């Protein structure tokens, strides 16, 4: 079982729609959860992080965390073609200072 | 956020040569830096943790004699791919945590270095 799992996609949504990206993790000791966006050929850039169960909103982005289900998601409202990228879920793992990344979900926003 | 700079962004070399990649923290001091590798359409895989003033910690399966890491100062870590072969062709990315407070735990990434070994 992979430590952090994501559907590879592509997830295709029309412009203006809500894109929903999901991530599950195996380490129950994980405390911090991050969403990064990576454009092709570029390094990842942080979108947002979440520590506590529930929702956290930042502009068009909402992160949702459910530690009991070991599940974290990212909602993108009013999706724009510029949101087309690969979205990486990352978590802290017990005993490790680095982040563990999922394989990413490729999002395509159709104009 | 913290700024991490990586150089070179692209490098092409012949098989058997060595390549050095530099990673600098520009506006903060990083006692720890992390080196990741990313193959096409795959995730970031941690290669090693670079510790200022001490030996790097390598992940299982990563050859420490092939991927030499030096972290001689609080703002510079280098990764040298020795005797590179085509299978080493990849996107190498360094990262660090900011030193400010509150420490939210996120990693800041350099621009990445695309290595192509012919």
């Amino acid at each position: 079982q992979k430590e952090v799992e994501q559907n590879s996609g592509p997830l295709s949504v029309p412009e203006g729609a809500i894109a929903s990206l999901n991530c599950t993790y195996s380490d129950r000791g994980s405390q911090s959860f991050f969403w990064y966006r990576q454009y092709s050929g570029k390094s990842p850039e942080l979108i947002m992080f979440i520590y506590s169960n529930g929702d956290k909103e930042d502009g068009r982005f909402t992160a949702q965390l459910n530690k009991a289900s070991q599940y974290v998601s990212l909602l993108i409202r009013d999706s724009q073609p510029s949101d087309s990228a690969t979205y990486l879920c990352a978590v802290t793992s017990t005993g490790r200072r680095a982040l563990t990344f999922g394989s990413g979900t490729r999002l395509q926003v159709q104009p | 956020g913290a700024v991490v700079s990586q150089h070179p962004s692209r490098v092409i070399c012949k098989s058997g040569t060595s390549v050095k990649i530099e990673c600098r923290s520009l506006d903060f001091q990083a006692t720890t830096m992390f080196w990741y590798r990313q193959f096409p359409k795959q995730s970031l895989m941690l290669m090693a943790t670079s510790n200022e003033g001490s030996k790097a910690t390598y992940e299982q399966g990563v050859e420490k004699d092939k991927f030499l890491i030096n972290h001689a100062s609080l703002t510079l870590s280098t990764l040298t791919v020795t005797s590179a072969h085509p299978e080493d062709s990849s996107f190498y990315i360094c990262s660090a945590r900011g030193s400010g407070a509150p420490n939210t735990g996120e990693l800041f990434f350099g621009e990445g270095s695309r290595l192509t070994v012919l």
Side-chain angles (χ1 to χ4, degrees):
Chain A
Q1 182 189 9
K2 292 182 181 178
E3 293 184 58
V4 181
E5 296 214 41
Q6 294 180 257
N7 188 315
S8 61
L11 171 66
S12 185
V13 300
E15 184 175 355
I18 297 175
S20 178
L21 305 161
N22 304 316
C23 171
T24 59
Y25 59 95
S26 61
D27 184 356
R28 283 198 170 276
S30 295
Q31 295 293 318
S32 307
F33 307 86
F34 305 86
W35 283 100
Y36 285 84
R37 177 174 60 196
Q38 186 178 27
Y39 292 109
S40 180
K42 303 293 185 182
S43 65
E45 54 181 338
L46 181 70
I47 296 175
M48 62 190 305
F49 56 85
I50 185 168
Y51 302 146
S52 305
N53 278 326
D55 295 359
K56 180 182 178 183
E57 187 174 317
D58 184 1
R60 295 187 297 114
F61 300 97
T62 299
Q64 299 174 317
L65 175 62
N66 184 324
K67 289 186 178 180
S69 300
Q70 295 176 247
Y71 174 93
V72 59
S73 66
L74 179 70
L75 299 177
I76 306 175
R77 289 181 298 282
D78 189 23
S79 296
Q80 301 297 309
S82 58
D83 294 327
S84 298
T86 296
Y87 288 80
L88 301 168
C89 171
V91 308
T92 55
S93 299
T94 305
R96 191 185 237 194
R97 289 175 290 172
L99 295 181
T100 301
F101 285 82
S103 56
T105 298
R106 188 157 64 94
L107 173 66
Q108 294 177 340
V109 181
Q110 307 295 335
Chain B
V3 179
V4 177
S5 179
Q6 194 171 337
H7 178 81
S9 58
R10 291 182 180 274
V11 57
I12 301 173
C13 69
K14 292 182 178 180
S15 184
T17 61
S18 294
V19 174
K20 179 187 283 188
I21 301 170
E22 294 187 347
C23 179
R24 295 181 185 274
S25 54
L26 297 186
D27 54 356
F28 67 103
Q29 293 182 331
T31 56
T32 303
M33 290 186 177
F34 306 98
W35 286 95
Y36 287 85
R37 178 170 55 182
Q38 186 178 37
F39 292 107
K41 298 191 185 302
Q42 295 188 25
S43 186
L44 280 73
M45 297 301 297
L46 181 67
M47 297 178 66
T49 300
S50 173
N51 304 298
E52 187 269 333
S54 64
K55 291 182 179 180
T57 305
Y58 290 82
E59 295 298 297
Q60 191 173 8
V62 178
E63 300 174 57
K64 60 182 65 176
D65 294 330
K66 180 171 183 63
F67 299 99
L68 301 179
I69 291 174
N70 183 281
H71 194 155
S73 78
L74 287 171
T75 59
L76 174 64
S77 174
T78 61
L79 168 67
T80 300
V81 183
T82 63
S83 186
H85 290 283
E87 58 265 29
D88 298 323
S89 298
S90 187
F91 191 46
Y92 292 85
I93 318 173
C94 71
S95 64
R97 284 202 170 85
S99 59
N103 188 333
T104 50
E106 74 265 32
L107 294 181
F108 296 95
F109 286 90
E111 301 92 332
S113 300
R114 173 82 55 196
L115 170 64
T116 303
V117 184
L118 302 176

